Amino acid sequence: MAKTKQQKSLDRWTKQKWRTPSGKKSSETGEVYAPSATIRKLKSTKKGKSKLAAANKKKRAATKAGKQHASHGLHKGKNRTGAKKRRTTRRKKK
């Protein structure tokens, strides 16, 4: 039986090596978890470093507030709220 799209996505997700930017535990540093490739790309540019720093700041604030999840924006394209995506182009009126 062939795997569904969601099952294939989960397979890819679990094969990635997830870590924090410093390599230490998130409970010790308050940093976000992300795939190693993503962290490597972000650390390679000045804009990426500032994006990573902002994500860590949001993660630490959410953790301090007692929240398990932080909406930090590193995982772009992910709709975590469950809301449907809005159409980006507008239809012309007739």
Side-chain angles (χ1 to χ4, degrees):
M1 186 170 155
K3 290 186 178 184
T4 64
K5 186 178 179 181
Q6 290 88 358
Q7 289 170 326
K8 289 177 186 176
S9 175
L10 182 61
D11 281 345
R12 284 191 303 273
W13 181 82
T14 55
K15 287 178 184 176
Q16 292 176 339
K17 183 181 178 199
W18 288 66
R19 65 182 190 92
T20 60
S22 67
K24 298 178 183 177
K25 290 183 178 180
S26 181
S27 59
E28 296 172 0
T29 61
E31 296 175 322
V32 296
Y33 274 102
S36 292
T38 303
I39 291 173
R40 194 176 330 105
K41 286 178 187 176
L42 288 171
K43 284 185 164 185
S44 67
T45 64
K46 188 174 181 179
K47 186 177 179 181
K49 287 178 186 177
S50 64
K51 191 173 187 178
L52 193 57
N56 286 331
K57 185 177 179 180
K58 288 180 183 180
K59 168 74 173 167
R60 288 183 182 113
T63 302
K64 190 174 182 181
K67 295 182 180 177
Q68 183 179 5
H69 303 286
S71 179
H72 49 71
L74 274 188
H75 309 293
K76 60 183 174 181
K78 305 296 182 199
N79 187 355
R80 305 261 184 232
T81 63
K84 291 184 178 182
K85 290 185 178 181
R86 298 181 75 189
R87 177 175 272 212
T88 56
T89 57
R90 295 183 182 205
R91 294 183 185 189
K92 293 181 180 179
K93 292 184 180 181
K94 293 182 181 180

